């Protein structure tokens, strides 16, 4: 509710109230208010000037402008009457009517505050009808029901304001953090009645205690808090390497199918085909006839078409020509043209190039890139499970230590944060490598940096720095490699290395098969070899047959010998030709079987190579996503609740000047007390699964944090897990980099701290007493340390019993009638963080001016009679009795009108 509080006062003691209220405003204790001097009202009524006080600073304003520019729900008009100086009734009427008519229908409260000390000179001010006429009791006490001190007569503005201003702040609802305005809804007393009021105020400022408690509770310093699990205890896992590797393997088993393709089986040995003897003879004579016709190539072609060997050879030549060798030899060799080992990104580029050529040659459809969003959601869940022991996904159970759940001790054991980077790189080495830091989750980057440092160790200029950097890198890596991020990243990189090696073997095997002798060339060569043997045999046996015929014709031998000799030559020639042809047939059959098996093996190798190349693309893409998610999760786990900054500043300490009825204390607990309370709160706040809400909040706000680049993420935060990773410039890459750099942070600290405050002010209020066993405040300029209850002195709670105001301001008759008793009370007790603001205002029933002592201490209700009046006496009536003899003295009743005795 918007409230405008306006004070109207004349010069004199009331100015002391203004000064003290300004000091209270500077201390941050009272709300802004307007102050109008009586002398300024009628001077220029069309532009009524006032001073607005806020945070101890006065600002000149015009009342009409304030009313016209603000929305106001309630107006409190407060007229101060102090000492002999009175506020002009016309000024009161004008300001009252102006505020009532120009405040836009706001409700109004009209308070006339009388400052009067016993025996002090005053202007004989009386109450005004239609106003709350309130006389500030000239007394001082620690709290309701305690003894009080009567204030001495004085016209000193400072003395008057020092005691009266806090009471006025309580009566007019000026105290900050407390909706305490006792007369807003109180009906105005009829006639010219007035009340005597007093007000008590206590403020316990716990900003410092809250800061220490918040730091102890929310600033983990990398140490994960042990969550509370109903019925059992959660422990820290001592075997970090076993816990992280187990979780990483479980995650890989669950999602490995997304990154692994099916391989074609290698062809087995060709089973021999069973044929009949007649078929064998037919095949032999068919081949022999072809030989005799000098055309065995046609027979070979028919069989070769059945095995498709020529097609395989042509495809092989097309795919792996000289240009393609240059493309993949750069990668397979592992060394670039400059002699440096290639990076993993070069493998990615080479696999895409060769895969594109394979797809183009084979006319195979392009594979769909796998959606790895389920993998990265489970990766985040696994990291959170290792941190708070809650099972979030099937197959990824929390760590068990015996019968108890367990978590990892530090966030660095789960996923290292940006602060865990390796940055101990000298300037010369950093400039040479163009590297300033190494991320702990970047396993391939660590390996590449280590290899390049080994190369630099041979350099005579920076070799020593390189060796030192290499040693420091090895020591740093030995501490980081047991984390969950490195364990899972190692599985990814191992799989990537294995797939690269598989691709290398397949490429070399296909390159070797390309260099095999062509089938047609092999057939032609064997045919030439066969014909050479046939020709030799034919010439030899022909010469022998001719010689035998010539010898028989010359009758050197008889025809009985020549004829058989010729027949033997013919038969021997036929036998030799058959043997040569049969061996050639065997060779060609064996060659065809081998080439058929090689063709089928090459087809399987090509299929497996395409699958392996796709895996390299998918694994490198997954590795990029792994780097991005590790950056974001590492930054989140380092500060899962965001920055634990103090939201409230400590109020200014008032060392002197406050009366006893107003006190401001501060809580200064010891570190042991803070730690004890924080530990008790953790059992309620950090339960199993407490990280779920902060992480979901971070993911839900990712789109808004990215601005225009994250419109689709803002509509559907689930899309973030499917975006490309590091180096792609995608929404995921940009978001993780901002998270890593600290421009995007978690925001759960404020929510959790509010839950902690709710616990402290609700069901666990006893913890506040443990935190604030003693408080410190100033009493008369001297510091005092007391308990909270002693400091509060019952303020803010309803009083028990009858209490009285200081009777020095009441007439004797009023005191005798009990008019000095407290008849009404308004109490307010508000929690401000762990501290409190307590206000109690007490007041009497309606009094008339005659019920109060005059300025000089004379009773207004006492009338001194100068002389005793003489009354005429009436004769008494004589009565007769049975004892007439007894003489009676007559009783005379005085005759006085209006009096009966």
């Amino acid at each position: 509710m918007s409230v405008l509080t306006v004070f109207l006062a004349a010069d004199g003691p009331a100015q002391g109230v203004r000064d003290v209220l300004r000091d209270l405003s500077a201390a941050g204790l009272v709300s802004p208010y307007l102050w109008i001097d009586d002398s300024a009202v009628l001077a220029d009524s069309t532009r009524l000037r006032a001073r607005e006080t806020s945070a101890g600073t006065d600002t000149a304003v015009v009342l009409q402008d304030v009313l016209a520019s603000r929305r106001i729900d309630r107006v409190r008009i407060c007229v101060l009457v102090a000492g002999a100086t009175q506020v002009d009734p016309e000024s009161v009427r004008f300001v009252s009517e102006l505020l009532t008519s120009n405040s836009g229908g706001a409700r109004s409260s009209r308070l006339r505050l009388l400052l009067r000390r016993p025996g002090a000179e005053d202007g004989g001010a009386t109450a005004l009808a239609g106003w709350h006429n309130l006389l500030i009791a000239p007394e001082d006490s620690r709290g309701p029901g305690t003894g009080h001190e009567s204030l001495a007569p004085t016209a000193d503005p400072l003395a008057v304001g020092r005691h009266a201003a806090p009471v006025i702040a309580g009566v007019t609802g000026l105290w900050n953090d407390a909706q305490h305005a006792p007369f807003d809804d109180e009906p105005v007393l009829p006639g010219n009645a007035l009340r005597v009021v007093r007000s008590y105020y206590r403020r316990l400022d716990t900003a410092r205690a809250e800061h220490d408690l918040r730091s102890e509770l929310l600033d983990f310093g990398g140490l994960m808090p042990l969550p509370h699990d109903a019925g059992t205890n959660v422990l820290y896992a001592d075997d970090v390497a076993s816990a992280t590797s187990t979780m990483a393997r479980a995650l890989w088993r669950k999602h490995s199918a997304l990154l692994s393709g099916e391989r074609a089986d290698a062809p087995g040995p060709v089973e021999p085909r069973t044929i009949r003897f007649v078929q064998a003879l037919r095949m032999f004579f068919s081949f022999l006839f072809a030989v005799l016709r000098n055309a065995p190539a046609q027979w070979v072609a028919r069989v070769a078409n059945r095995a498709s060997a020529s097609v395989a050879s042509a495809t092989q030549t097309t795919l792996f020509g000289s240009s393609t060798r240059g493309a993949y030899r750069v990668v397979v060799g592992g060394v670039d043209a400059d002699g440096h080992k290639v990076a993993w990104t070069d493998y990615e580029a080479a696999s895409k190039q060769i895969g594109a050529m394979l797809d183009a040659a084979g006319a195979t459809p392009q594979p769909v890139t796998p959606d790895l969003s389920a993998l990265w959601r489970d990766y985040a869940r696994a990291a959170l499970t290792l941190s708070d022991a809650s099972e979030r996904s099937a197959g990824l159970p929390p760590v068990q230590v015996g019968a108890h759940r367990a978590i990892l001790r530090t966030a660095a054991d789960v996923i290292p944060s940006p602060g865990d980077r390796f940055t101990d790189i000298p300037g010369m080495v950093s400039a040479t490598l163009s590297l300033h830091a190494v991320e702990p989750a970047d396993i391939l980057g660590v390996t590449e940096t280590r290899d390049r440092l080994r190369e630099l160790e041979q350099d005579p200029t920076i070799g020593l720095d390189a060796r030192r950097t290499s040693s420091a890198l090895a020591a740093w890596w030995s501490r980081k490699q047991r984390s969950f991020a490195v364990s899972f990243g190692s599985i990814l990189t191992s799989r990537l290395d294995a797939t690269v090696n598989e691709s290398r073997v397949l490429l070399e095997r296909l390159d070797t098969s390309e260099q095999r002798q062509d089938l047609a060339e092999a057939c032609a060569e064997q045919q030439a070899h066969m014909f050479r043997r046939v020709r030799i045999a034919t010439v030899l046996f022909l010469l022998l047959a001719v010689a035998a015929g010539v010898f028989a014709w010359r009758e050197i031998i008889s025809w009985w010998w020549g004829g058989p000799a010729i027949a033997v030559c013919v038969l021997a020639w036929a036998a030799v030709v058959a043997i040569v042809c049969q061996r050639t047939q065997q060779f060609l059959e064996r060659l065809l079987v081998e080439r058929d098996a090689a063709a089928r093996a090459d087809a399987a190798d090509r299929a497996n190579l395409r699958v392996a190349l796709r895996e390299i693309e998918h694994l490198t893409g997954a590795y990029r996503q792994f780097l991005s998610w590790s950056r974001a999760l590492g930054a989140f786990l380092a500060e899962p609740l965001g920055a634990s900054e103090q939201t409230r500043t400590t109020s200014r300490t008032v060392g002197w000047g406050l009366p006893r009825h107003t006190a401001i204390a501060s809580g200064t607990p010891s570190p042991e007390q803070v730690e004890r309370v924080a530990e008790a709160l953790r059992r309620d706040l950090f339960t199993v699964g407490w990280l779920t809400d902060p992480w979901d909040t971070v993911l839900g706000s990712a789109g808004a944090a990215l601005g225009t680049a994250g419109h689709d993420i803002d509509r559907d935060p689930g899309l973030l897990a499917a975006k490309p990773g590091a180096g792609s410039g995608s929404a995921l890459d940009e978001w993780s980099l901002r998270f890593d750099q600290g421009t995007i942070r978690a925001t759960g600290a404020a929510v959790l701290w509010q839950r902690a405050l709710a616990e402290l002010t609700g069901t666990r209020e006893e913890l506040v007493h443990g935190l604030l066993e003693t408080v410190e405040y100033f009493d008369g300029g001297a510091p005092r340390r007391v308990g909270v209850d002693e400091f509060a002195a019952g303020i803010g709670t309803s009083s028990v019993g009858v209490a009285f105001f200081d009777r020095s301001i009441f007439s004797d008759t009023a005191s005798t009638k009990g008019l000095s008793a407290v008849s009404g009370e308004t109490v307010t007790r508000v929690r401000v963080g762990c501290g409190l603001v307590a206000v109690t205002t007490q007041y009497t029933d309606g009094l008339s001016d005659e019920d109060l002592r005059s300025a000089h201490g004379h009773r207004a209700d006492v009338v001194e009679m100068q002389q005793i009046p003489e009354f005429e006496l009436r004769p008494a009536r004589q009565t007769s009795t049975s004892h007439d003899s007894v003489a009676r003295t007559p009783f005379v009743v005085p005759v006085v009108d209006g009096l009966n005795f």
Side-chain angles (χ1 to χ4, degrees):
M1 183 173 64
S2 177
V3 178
L4 179 64
T5 303
V6 180
F7 289 96
L8 176 62
D11 293 335
Q15 301 302 314
V17 175
R18 183 196 63 186
D19 295 337
V20 175
L21 285 178
R22 185 192 297 118
D23 292 342
L24 295 177
S25 174
L29 299 176
V30 299
S31 304
Y33 60 89
L34 267 63
W35 189 278
I36 302 176
D37 290 326
D38 179 36
S39 59
V41 175
L42 300 179
D44 187 2
S45 58
T46 59
R47 301 287 291 174
L48 182 54
R49 300 190 178 276
R51 281 175 291 180
E52 183 174 20
T53 302
S54 177
T57 302
D58 288 343
T59 304
V61 296
V62 176
L63 182 59
Q64 287 86 344
D65 294 342
V66 172
L67 295 174
S69 60
R70 302 182 187 178
R71 184 181 183 275
I72 302 171
D73 298 317
R74 179 177 287 276
V75 175
R76 297 192 185 107
I77 311 166
C78 308
V79 177
L80 297 185
V81 178
T85 306
Q86 298 294 307
V87 179
D88 190 338
E90 286 299 318
S91 300
V92 175
R93 183 191 58 79
F94 176 78
V95 173
S96 176
E97 291 180 356
L98 176 64
L99 290 172
T100 303
S101 60
N102 293 359
S103 57
R107 291 175 293 175
S108 62
S109 300
R110 298 191 296 179
L111 307 175
R112 181 179 174 85
L113 305 172
L114 308 177
L115 310 181
R116 182 186 298 176
R117 291 289 184 90
E121 182 180 358
D122 57 42
T126 58
L128 293 181
W131 288 69
H132 287 289
N133 298 279
L134 307 175
L135 173 62
I136 308 300
E139 62 179 56
D140 192 13
S141 62
R142 291 188 59 251
T146 62
H148 65 269
E149 173 192 4
S150 298
L151 300 181
T154 182
D156 182 12
L158 179 59
V160 173
R162 175 171 171 253
H163 288 87
V167 178
I168 292 173
V171 170
T172 59
L174 278 183
W175 292 121
N176 279 332
D177 301 318
Q179 299 295 328
H180 183 85
F183 296 100
D184 277 356
D185 300 319
E186 188 75 15
V188 176
L189 294 176
N192 295 331
L194 56 82
R195 303 177 190 266
V196 179
V197 297
R198 62 188 177 193
S199 186
Y200 303 92
Y201 177 80
R202 290 291 185 273
R203 184 184 190 96
L204 176 57
D205 185 79
T206 57
R208 176 181 171 185
E210 290 177 25
H211 180 273
D212 295 343
L213 178 61
R214 185 168 182 166
S215 299
E216 182 69 24
L217 184 64
L218 305 182
D219 292 343
F220 307 134
L223 181 67
M224 303 307 297
L226 280 174
H228 178 66
D229 188 14
T232 183
N233 294 324
V234 180
L235 309 176
Y236 284 121
D238 294 327
D239 192 351
V240 176
S242 175
T244 56
S245 61
T246 300
M247 182 66 79
R249 288 194 299 269
L251 179 62
W252 177 254
R253 282 195 302 270
K254 185 175 180 179
H255 297 283
S256 59
L258 295 173
L259 295 171
S260 300
E262 294 185 1
R263 299 297 195 273
D265 296 332
V270 179
E271 297 292 335
R273 186 161 54 97
T274 302
I275 60 175
R276 295 193 302 272
F277 177 73
V278 176
Q279 290 177 326
L281 289 179
R282 187 181 297 115
M283 290 177 63
F284 172 72
F285 284 111
S286 174
F287 179 78
L288 182 61
F289 181 73
V291 171
L292 295 178
R293 291 182 57 192
N294 198 21
Q298 295 179 3
W299 179 85
V300 173
R302 288 197 301 270
V303 180
N305 287 336
R306 186 174 64 243
S308 301
S310 59
V311 176
S313 176
T315 304
Q316 187 73 26
T317 304
T318 301
L319 288 179
F320 303 104
S322 58
S323 61
T324 307
R325 284 195 203 100
Y328 68 74
R329 279 180 183 172
V330 173
V331 176
V332 173
V335 178
D336 60 12
D338 297 329
H340 299 300
K341 290 188 176 181
V342 295
W344 59 274
T345 52
D346 296 324
Y347 287 105
E348 180 184 19
S351 66
K352 289 181 178 180
Q353 183 179 358
I354 299 175
M357 297 181 68
L358 285 172
D359 291 338
T364 58
Q366 290 295 325
V368 178
T369 302
D371 183 7
L372 302 180
S373 56
L375 168 63
W376 301 122
R377 280 194 289 267
D378 273 353
Y379 177 68
R381 292 167 183 164
L384 300 182
T385 296
L386 290 172
S387 303
D388 65 8
S390 174
E391 184 172 358
R392 294 175 169 84
S393 181
L396 301 176
V399 180
Q400 292 288 136
V401 176
H404 302 278
R405 295 187 181 189
I407 64 171
L408 300 185
R409 190 177 300 273
T410 64
D413 290 336
V414 183
I415 298 180
S417 66
D420 294 318
R421 288 191 184 97
F422 177 75
T423 57
D424 188 15
I425 306 176
M428 288 292 294
V429 177
S430 176
T432 304
L433 299 178
S434 299
L435 182 69
H436 304 289
V438 180
E439 296 185 12
D442 188 4
I443 303 168
L444 296 178
V446 172
T447 303
E448 180 183 357
T449 302
R450 191 162 45 197
D451 294 339
R452 296 181 65 185
L453 286 173
R454 290 197 185 101
E455 296 174 3
L456 291 180
E457 289 178 5
Q458 310 303 321
D459 191 292
T461 304
I462 60 174
L464 180 59
D465 289 338
R467 282 190 291 273
R468 291 175 178 173
T469 305
S470 182
S471 299
L473 178 64
W476 169 82
W477 182 242
S478 66
R479 297 190 301 269
K480 303 302 177 185
Q481 62 184 356
R482 66 176 187 173
S483 67
F484 168 67
V486 176
S487 296
F488 183 72
S490 298
I491 296 177
L492 275 180
T493 55
S494 298
R495 182 67 182 176
L496 179 61
D497 290 341
T499 308
V500 169
N501 290 331
E502 179 187 3
S503 301
R504 180 185 295 113
V505 172
L506 291 174
L507 284 169
E508 291 175 353
R509 190 184 300 167
L510 291 173
D511 193 27
T512 302
S513 68
E514 179 193 355
Q515 298 174 2
R516 296 193 189 104
Q517 188 178 19
D518 184 70
L519 180 61
E521 182 182 350
C523 291
E525 183 180 346
Q526 186 64 23
Q527 177 181 333
H529 183 64
M530 179 188 66
F531 278 118
R532 187 168 55 252
R533 291 182 178 181
V534 169
R535 284 194 296 269
I536 292 174
T538 300
V539 171
L540 178 62
F541 285 108
L542 181 62
L543 290 176
L544 291 177
V546 170
V550 171
F551 286 163
W553 179 65
R554 292 285 186 179
E555 297 182 350
I556 298 175
I557 57 174
S558 67
W559 285 102
W560 293 100
W561 288 99
I566 293 173
V568 169
C569 289
V570 173
L571 293 176
W573 173 80
V576 170
V577 170
I579 292 172
V580 171
C581 290
Q582 190 266 341
R583 289 182 176 177
T584 301
Q585 181 187 12
Q586 290 179 350
F587 172 80
L588 292 177
E589 288 284 354
R590 186 171 62 252
L591 180 63
L592 289 174
V593 170
E594 291 177 355
R595 290 304 173 91
D596 181 58
R600 288 187 291 114
D602 288 348
D605 287 344
R606 284 193 300 274
N608 290 338
L609 176 61
R610 188 64 192 100
V611 173
L613 293 174
R614 289 171 184 167
E615 279 191 14
I616 292 176
E617 296 178 36
H618 299 162
L619 285 169
T620 51
Y623 187 76
R624 293 180 184 276
Q625 291 177 309
F626 162 75
L627 292 179
S628 293
W629 282 106
S630 296
R631 286 173 185 166
L633 281 166
F636 170 77
L637 291 177
E639 290 183 348
L641 300 174
S644 179
E645 299 176 354
Q646 187 69 16
T647 56
R648 295 180 67 251
T649 58
T650 304
S651 299
R652 296 182 181 180
T653 302
V654 181
W656 182 89
L658 293 178
R660 291 189 181 93
H661 57 69
T662 302
I664 304 169
S666 59
T668 55
S670 65
E672 293 77 13
Q673 291 174 312
V674 173
E675 184 178 359
R676 185 166 59 250
V677 174
E679 183 60 31
L681 283 174
R682 287 194 188 102
R683 287 194 292 269
D684 295 332
L685 298 177
F686 298 104
T687 56
V688 168
W690 68 272
L691 284 170
T692 299
D693 289 341
W695 177 246
D696 289 345
T697 302
V698 166
L699 291 181
S701 61
L706 291 173
T708 56
H711 285 327
D712 56 338
I713 307 297
D714 196 20
R715 290 193 298 269
D716 184 5
L719 295 176
L720 187 66
K723 297 294 184 180
S728 64
S730 67
L732 173 61
D733 185 26
E734 181 67 20
W735 175 72
S736 64
L737 284 175
R738 293 189 186 182
F739 218 141
D740 184 69
Q741 295 166 358
T743 56
I744 297 178
R745 310 179 80 170
T747 57
V751 176
L752 196 67
W753 177 242
Q754 291 303 317
R755 288 177 54 193
L757 290 179
E759 292 285 336
L760 291 172
T761 58
T763 58
R764 304 301 300 275
E765 191 171 1
E766 73 279 359
L767 294 178
V768 177
H769 293 282
L771 183 66
L772 305 171
E773 292 180 356
T774 59
V775 298
E776 183 179 271
Y777 74 103
F778 287 88
D779 185 6
R784 291 189 60 191
R785 295 182 64 87
V786 297
V788 176
D789 294 336
E790 182 180 353
F791 167 74
I795 300 173
T797 58
S798 298
S799 302
V800 178
V802 181
F804 295 89
F805 284 84
D806 182 61
R807 298 181 181 179
S808 62
I809 61 173
F810 295 90
S811 67
D812 294 339
T813 302
S815 299
T816 303
K817 293 179 180 180
L819 298 182
S820 63
V822 173
S823 64
E825 182 179 67
T826 301
V827 297
T828 301
R829 190 181 183 94
V830 180
R831 281 286 183 186
V832 181
C834 294
L836 60 87
V837 172
V839 188
T840 295
T841 299
Q842 297 178 330
Y843 45 87
T844 65
D845 274 332
L847 303 173
S848 65
D849 193 54
E850 288 75 13
D851 293 324
L852 304 177
R853 290 186 184 274
S854 64
H856 301 288
H858 299 297
R859 294 195 301 267
D861 57 341
V862 177
V863 178
E864 295 185 0
M865 302 182 69
Q866 301 297 326
Q867 58 184 0
I868 300 174
E870 295 182 356
F871 299 107
E872 180 182 355
L873 298 180
R874 181 186 307 165
R877 180 184 302 174
Q878 295 183 358
T879 60
S880 60
T881 64
S882 58
H883 306 284
D884 295 336
S885 58
V886 179
R888 295 292 185 183
T889 303
F891 175 74
V892 178
V893 178
V895 179
V896 178
D897 293 337
L899 295 178
N900 296 316
F901 295 93

